[in-house]
Amino acid sequence: MSIDGMEDRLAPIGANVSKIRELISSLELCHHKADRWVYNIVEAIGTGETAKGLGSRLCGQQHTSETVWQNVCAALSVWCAGSPSTKVDLPVGTIPAAQFLTCLGERSPLKEWQVQRVIEKIRSLIHWPRSCEDPAAQYVWILMSVGEYEFSYLNQCPDQYKEHEDFWWMTVHTMIHDTENGGKADLSLALAIDMLWPCHWRFVENLRIVLDAIGGKLNPEKPFAACGRNISLLPIRHRMEIVSNTLKVFYSAADSDREVAKDLLVLLGKPTAVKKWLAASLDKTIRLQLNPPADLRAIYALSGPEWIK
């Protein structure tokens, strides 16, 4: 309510300010480039304008993570085609793809079906080899029912998987035994595939957990992290707490006994009503993701529908 009041007291919001606010709304701390994005937003608040956002990268530029995503899809596709894992000579970051493929163990129709779902999930998000807008590139969720603003769980096999409903059923009931928020938890392999986002900071480790589970190893050494699930493990968590403290000092003009980032205060410049509103909005976005309320944390836990337990 306080932030809404700050907005109400502003003059009509210009296009630049509106774009910065949109960047704040789209911020996800689990993104592998979240730290950089937060810096860009703070810089934009200070200058009052930004050239950042979707579509701002030069044509032909490719991030190193995109190479990882494409190599994963290529390696898994070769495996599905019947080639031995030892014959796949592609790197997944610093790890040979063949090392990941050995997790799958002996080939079976069920495993091939599950691996194909992994490929489709990744390809549907990385604009390769087709645009994600292409109907042929759309991913069919295994256990999640995803709407524009919310999601729920399915209670029956999707029509697209009816031909292999037994595979769908076994995938849904395969449980990965890890931890969530420090406590023991079970995670359906179907949900792990559904939530395997390439842009996530822990994508490579999450992929390993999924492939291990497909191969029959259901007790991973590290817990599966996805969006808000296991957000406490976020490697930039401490840095984001400092950013939050800094933003609060900036928009509230109050001293703090917590650590602040002086370089960010320099970027923000002289406080104005618009800057304070944007800084408060960014602070709220960061805090709610670092420490989500109980209802959101329950959703992020991905405990699945009651009927599979």
Side-chain angles (χ1 to χ4, degrees), residues 196-242:
L196 187 61
W197 296 89
C199 57
H200 193 274
W201 64 271
R202 208 174 202 176
F203 168 68
V204 173
E205 290 85 354
N206 285 344
L207 174 67
R208 178 64 179 264
I209 291 171
V210 167
L211 297 184
D212 272 340
I214 292 174
K217 182 181 177 181
L218 301 175
N219 294 280
E221 297 176 1
K222 297 180 180 180
F224 188 88
C227 296
R229 191 179 197 268
N230 283 313
I231 193 67
S232 60
L233 302 178
L234 185 70
I236 61 170
R237 183 180 183 88
H238 180 62
R239 171 63 178 174
M240 292 301 101
E241 290 172 344
I242 294 174

Side-chain angles (χ1 to χ4, degrees), residues 92-107:
V92 177
T94 59
I95 304 172
Q99 185 175 324
F100 280 87
L101 298 180
T102 56
C103 302
L104 297 170
E106 187 177 347
R107 189 183 310 276

Side-chain angles (χ1 to χ4, degrees), residues 34-51:
D35 193 14
R36 180 62 189 173
W37 275 106
V38 169
Y39 183 90
N40 289 342
I41 292 171
V42 171
E43 185 178 46
I45 293 173
T47 62
E49 59 184 12
T50 181

